[in-house]
Amino acid sequence: MRPRKDAVRAPGPNARRSGVQSVERTLDLLEALDEHGGSMGVTELASQTGLPAPTIHRLAQTLVTRGYLRQLPDRRYNLGSRLAALGASARAMMGSRAQPLLRELARKLQETVNLAILTPDGAEYIGQSAGSHSVRMFTEVGRRVPLHSTGVGKALLSLLPDHDVQRLLRPDDMQRFTSTTITTPESMLAALVFIRERGFAMDEGEMEQGVRCIAMPFVAGSFMAVSVSGPEARMTDELVERARVALDAARAELVLVLADN
């Protein structure tokens, strides 16, 4: 999931562009689909992109043939499976590029550092550097975790407008993992006000009892978050404050390393 066009304004359909027109138009279609839940009809696509319906049909059919789009029985278009493979490769490359910064953070704080990216169905870990303690947190790179019960998930949600948060968080999916898990969209919206004000999110044993995590959001082409986590006995308020300062500096560097050129 990428930043919305109302946050990062794209050129209008009549703007002069220096690229290849057919490529520009194809990317407009894919980005419009991405920004509107991954499924749209031709009329909706025409409204969002400013492209004529025949052009959309022609480009979309080529993308369907190559597996980058899928056409449903009701004639709407969905993002296709080939994009998932490309996305996985891109996320792996981003994790590799961030690894030196993650290692330095873990060395400085001696606790595990994670890098996560927002996906339509959760937060996906794309990079990690383990802490130096014999007992430490470990999350497999590539694992997806819920948005409502993790530090990185709540940090990522804080980047979204409330109506998108409500779209992503369905009450039936907000599983209670511990006694501190947030389980309603209304409670999450209230928590996000505080998270946005202070610029970071905390996981106070909401996914796994006895684990504490601090996470900071940032935008580097996609919505992302970097976090430090460990057992609550070691993640004291003093260490959390040190981590807050270190994460704030690190995310500025991560933006430079990971942002699209």
Side-chain angles (χ1 to χ4, degrees):
M1 186 174 292
R2 298 176 62 84
R4 294 172 61 88
K5 286 187 178 179
D6 54 10
V8 182
R9 181 62 60 188
N14 296 320
R16 293 179 63 86
R17 296 176 172 181
S18 59
V20 178
Q21 186 183 62
S22 61
V23 176
E24 294 275 7
R25 289 176 167 182
T26 301
L27 294 175
D28 284 345
L29 290 183
L30 293 174
E31 290 179 358
L33 281 160
D34 180 49
E35 290 159 11
H36 294 82
S39 180
M40 297 175 76
V42 172
T43 301
E44 295 168 291
L45 284 166
S47 174
Q48 291 297 318
T49 63
L51 296 174
T55 299
I56 292 172
H57 278 295
R58 177 172 53 82
L59 294 174
Q61 286 304 312
T62 300
L63 291 168
V64 167
T65 301
R66 297 293 298 270
Y68 295 103
L69 289 183
R70 183 166 62 94
Q71 191 167 27
L72 304 179
D74 64 3
R75 309 301 291 173
R76 293 171 66 84
Y77 290 102
N78 271 15
L79 295 175
S81 58
R82 285 291 301 277
L83 291 171
L86 291 179
S89 297
R91 292 191 292 273
M93 289 182 65
M94 293 176 81
S96 296
R97 285 155 60 190
Q99 200 59 37
L101 284 169
L102 303 184
R103 279 198 300 267
E104 177 58 22
L105 265 178
R107 184 198 65 76
K108 184 182 298 184
L109 298 169
Q110 300 183 319
E111 297 292 351
T112 297
V113 176
N114 286 299
L115 181 66
I117 191 168
L118 181 64
T119 71
D121 54 353
E124 180 177 332
Y125 290 111
I126 63 171
Q128 181 183 85
S129 186
S132 58
H133 297 282
S134 56
V135 177
R136 57 199 179 195
M137 302 299 101
F138 177 78
T139 301
E140 184 180 359
V141 171
R143 180 188 176 197
R144 292 186 181 179
V145 294
L147 295 170
H148 72 285
S149 59
T150 57
V152 291
K154 292 192 291 182
L156 291 167
L157 287 174
S158 74
L159 293 169
L160 302 174
D162 284 353
H163 61 85
D164 279 349
V165 173
Q166 291 175 304
R167 179 174 55 82
L168 286 171
L169 296 182
R170 294 183 293 271
D172 291 347
D173 294 335
M174 296 181 72
Q175 180 182 349
R176 180 180 295 280
F177 295 98
T178 73
S179 62
T180 57
T181 306
I182 296 174
T183 57
T184 67
E186 294 75 18
S187 297
M188 180 59 71
L189 291 175
L192 290 175
V193 172
F194 186 43
I195 292 169
R196 290 170 183 138
E197 285 177 353
R198 65 183 184 177
F200 63 91
M202 293 294 302
D203 170 2
E204 301 284 5
E206 295 161 53
M207 182 74 180
E208 191 173 343
Q209 208 159 23
V211 175
R212 200 176 190 205
C213 170
I214 176 173
M216 280 196 175
F218 64 96
V219 179
S222 299
F223 292 142
M224 307 186 74
V226 59
S227 70
V228 176
S229 59
E232 60 183 1
R234 293 202 306 259
M235 290 289 290
T236 61
D237 290 345
E238 184 273 334
L239 180 55
V240 167
E241 175 58 20
R242 283 177 51 215
R244 183 192 66 80
V245 174
L247 287 172
D248 195 30
R251 67 176 170 178
E253 294 185 68
L254 286 166
V255 168
L256 295 175
V257 170
L258 300 177
D260 297 333
N261 294 322

